[in-house]
Amino acid sequence: MKYKEKKAKPGPSDKRGVATLDEAADWCRRQGIEEIECMIPDLAGVARGKIMPVRKFLAMPAMNLPLAVFYQTITGDFPELEGLVGAVQSDTDVFLHPDLATLAVVPWASDPTAQVIHDAFHPDGRPVGESPRQVLRRVVQAYEAKGWRPVVAPEMEFYLVEKNIDPDYPLKPPVGRSGRPETGRQGYSISAVNEFDALFEDMYEYSERQGLEIDTLIHESGVAQMEINLRHGDALELADQVFMFKRTIREAAMEHDIYATFMAKPMAAEPGSAMHIHQSVVDAANGRNLFSDPETGEPTPTFFAFIAGLQKYLPAIMAIMAPYVNSYRRIARDSGAPVNLQWGHDNRTAGLRVPPSDPQNRRVENRIPSSDANPYLAIAASLAAGYLGMIEELTPTEPYDHDANQTGIALPRSLLESVVLFENCEPLAELLGASFVAAFSRVKQTEYEVFMRTISPWEREFLLLNV
């Protein structure tokens, strides 16, 4: 498959997703599709898979990949698998079946190409527990067993940066249409967004053609830092949209000779990037918001228990919310990011914010996750914490109406500390799946060990001649 070098004309705009393979065949004919990107998100949220001719896909849509694809680190290495899966089992194929509801065009490809997200199964038909999509499904199924349905709305912050060919050099803001890079912070500035009009026009076009429902685009407080809000909806559907949007904005940016990055803290002097997750729970039968009393409109015990669950379990899920060593550079005093477990009404300094809303739209915003988090896992872990709070009928602290970060840092400050809390939390392991918890913990430990082999400029600057 080739990627276009010049801006292509808009193509057909059939909405994303079909129900059957016959409908997929008809959809591909209408679109003139020649190739299919068959992909699955790994633990990092990276798209792994195969590209195949459309005729081969329609004749045999299932494909095989080794189980080890779910044990690969962000550097492409593999951890020691002893005690998890054997060397033979890790190289054993799992079967990937397409979720045809995710079928969509690849609008930045020069040749007519489609993409479809897959689910992973063992040869005996069991879902692969290490698959991020399956982890989220497990949590949603726990809600369904209670007659509940979670509703989420993610917000994603990211930076536009000048192309960085040599990683030894710090990142810089890109040059916009004025011919000048942004030099001061331009939070909520329309003109600062307009500097990249052509890029965002492509982003909106590509998103529309994939059925991604962007609600708003704003300029955040960092230099060339943006935020995209997606419309609320089904948890798995929104995780898919975040996964696809990350690919979309990266491709759109590269067509304009710049990078889009979801790195949590890409520039030392600028704020970090978050993935805020708005969450509510409705009655699956009638759609009523369980966070509000139907007669009085006041918040319910379920609402408070959900908040309390987040307060109790957020430290244990920090390895998912902040999955890399760089993520913890965002979790620091005076960084602009919440570092506490407080909750408050419209209080953005609190880790958990309750936005202003009417009773039907009452929700909790989890402001802790960083933008580098895997959307499937971050949504699953956040919903799991709230679920456990409701099941355990927990009670939260009183709402906080001052600067909540003044209460001190209540979250783990390093990846290894977070991993220890994560792998020792039995209620989470039961809900998320023991095989996933073991795999994720081992991968994170391996990534940390690889990071520790790198000597930073800070160490050379301050330790080389002074110690």
Side-chain angles (χ1 to χ4, degrees):
M1 181 185 63
K2 300 176 182 178
Y3 287 95
K4 65 188 184 188
E5 297 178 357
K6 297 182 179 179
K7 183 177 171 68
K9 296 179 180 179
S13 58
D14 283 23
K15 289 298 182 183
R16 177 164 57 99
V18 296
T20 67
L21 197 60
D22 287 340
E23 290 180 10
D26 183 58
W27 183 91
C28 289
R29 280 193 296 271
R30 293 198 310 270
Q31 302 280 344
I33 298 298
E34 298 174 3
E35 293 178 323
I36 305 278
E37 292 183 347
C38 303
M39 57 191 182
I40 191 161
D42 70 359
L43 292 185
V46 174
R48 307 283 181 187
K50 300 179 180 180
I51 301 172
M52 62 179 66
V54 66
R55 283 182 294 179
K56 181 176 180 180
F57 172 81
L58 293 172
M60 188 179 63
M63 66 173 181
N64 300 357
L65 285 177
L67 177 63
V69 74
F70 295 112
Y71 286 85
Q72 193 166 3
T73 70
I74 196 64
T75 61
D77 299 315
F78 293 91
E80 171 58 54
L81 298 177
E82 184 66 32
L84 296 178
V85 292
V88 174
Q89 185 184 355
S90 68
D91 270 340
T92 300
D93 277 350
V94 294
F95 297 90
L96 306 183
H97 296 276
D99 182 347
L100 295 176
T102 68
L103 182 65
V105 297
V106 179
W108 51 84
S110 58
D111 298 330
T113 304
Q115 59 189 319
V116 63
I117 302 173
H118 287 57
D119 288 305
F121 299 89
H122 290 289
D124 61 7
R126 289 178 297 116
V128 173
E130 296 90 335
S131 167
R133 262 187 136 227
Q134 175 59 21
V135 174
L136 179 52
R137 275 206 172 96
R138 279 180 64 102
V139 176
V140 171
Q141 288 166 359
Y143 276 82
E144 290 173 347
K146 296 291 183 181
W148 303 334
R149 180 170 60 85
V151 177
V152 303
E155 301 174 350
M156 293 165 292
E157 297 172 349
F158 60 94
Y159 276 89
L160 299 177
V161 298
E162 184 181 282
K163 271 194 170 180
N164 181 261
I165 307 302
D166 189 337
D168 284 337
Y169 286 89
L171 299 175
K172 299 178 182 179
V175 173
R177 65 177 186 173
S178 68
R180 303 174 65 182
E182 196 175 303
T183 54
R185 294 184 178 176
Q186 302 291 331
Y188 304 103
S189 168
I190 298 297
S191 61
V193 173
N194 290 342
E195 281 285 292
F196 304 98
D197 263 350
L199 187 163
F200 290 126
E201 285 174 6
D202 284 348
M203 180 197 75
Y204 276 114
E205 177 200 322
Y206 293 170
S207 298
E208 173 68 22
R209 294 185 61 198
Q210 295 173 91
L212 307 182
E213 298 187 64
I214 294 176
D215 191 14
T216 57
L217 164 68
I218 64 171
H219 193 296
E220 262 294 343
S221 57
V223 173
Q225 185 186 32
M226 309 294 169
E227 178 183 283
I228 285 288
N229 299 338
L230 296 176
R231 295 176 184 173
H232 67 275
D234 173 79
L236 183 60
E237 164 71 14
L238 266 296
D240 285 338
Q241 288 201 39
V242 174
F243 171 69
M244 295 172 74
F245 174 77
K246 281 188 169 185
R247 298 186 75 215
T248 299
I249 188 60
R250 287 193 191 104
E251 291 291 341
M254 280 197 283
E255 287 187 4
H256 293 267
D257 208 33
I258 60 179
Y259 290 159
T261 179
F262 291 87
M263 190 174 173
K265 185 75 171 178
M267 290 183 274
E270 298 298 328
S273 291
M275 179 172 63
H276 301 151
I277 305 172
H278 293 250
Q279 305 152 98
S280 60
V281 182
V282 302
D283 188 310
N286 56 30
R288 178 177 65 83
N289 190 338
L290 298 179
F291 287 174
S292 298
D293 186 282
E295 295 182 1
T296 66
E298 294 300 309
T300 61
T302 297
F303 169 73
F304 292 117
F306 189 95
I307 292 174
L310 285 165
Q311 288 185 313
K312 177 179 178 178
Y313 289 103
L314 262 170
I317 58 175
M318 275 299 290
I320 288 177
M321 301 299 173
Y324 303 102
V325 287
N326 176 263
S327 311
Y328 296 85
R329 300 190 189 281
R330 172 179 165 263
I331 307 297
R333 290 187 188 276
D334 304 319
S335 66
V339 295
N340 59 80
L341 295 173
Q342 302 294 333
W343 75 278
H345 296 284
D346 200 17
N347 183 349
R348 285 184 167 86
T349 69
L352 304 170
R353 169 178 172 256
V354 178
S357 69
D358 58 33
Q360 182 57 27
N361 293 306
R362 180 172 278 116
R363 61 196 184 276
V364 180
E365 178 191 8
N366 184 351
R367 296 177 58 80
I368 299 298
S370 53
S371 60
D372 56 2
N374 180 318
Y376 299 94
L377 300 181
I379 292 172
S382 194
L383 290 176
Y387 173 87
L388 290 171
M390 293 187 292
I391 294 300
E392 297 171 16
E393 299 181 346
L394 301 179
T395 301
T397 61
E398 291 298 313
Y400 207 82
D401 58 4
H402 302 294
D403 184 350
N405 281 330
Q406 296 304 311
T407 62
I409 297 178
L411 298 168
R413 297 298 308 280
S414 72
L415 181 59
L416 282 189
E417 181 185 356
S418 296
V419 169
V420 170
L421 293 174
F422 177 64
E423 62 185 353
N424 289 322
C425 185
E426 292 184 7
L428 280 173
E430 183 176 346
L431 195 52
L432 301 177
S435 63
F436 161 71
V437 171
F440 188 84
S441 299
R442 187 71 61 85
V443 164
K444 291 298 136 185
Q445 291 163 351
T446 302
E447 289 175 349
Y448 181 81
E449 295 299 333
V450 172
F451 168 79
M452 288 300 291
R453 299 173 193 161
T454 302
I455 308 302
S456 69
W458 185 93
E459 293 164 274
R460 289 190 290 271
E461 181 176 356
F462 294 105
L463 303 181
L464 181 65
L465 301 177
N466 294 330
V467 296

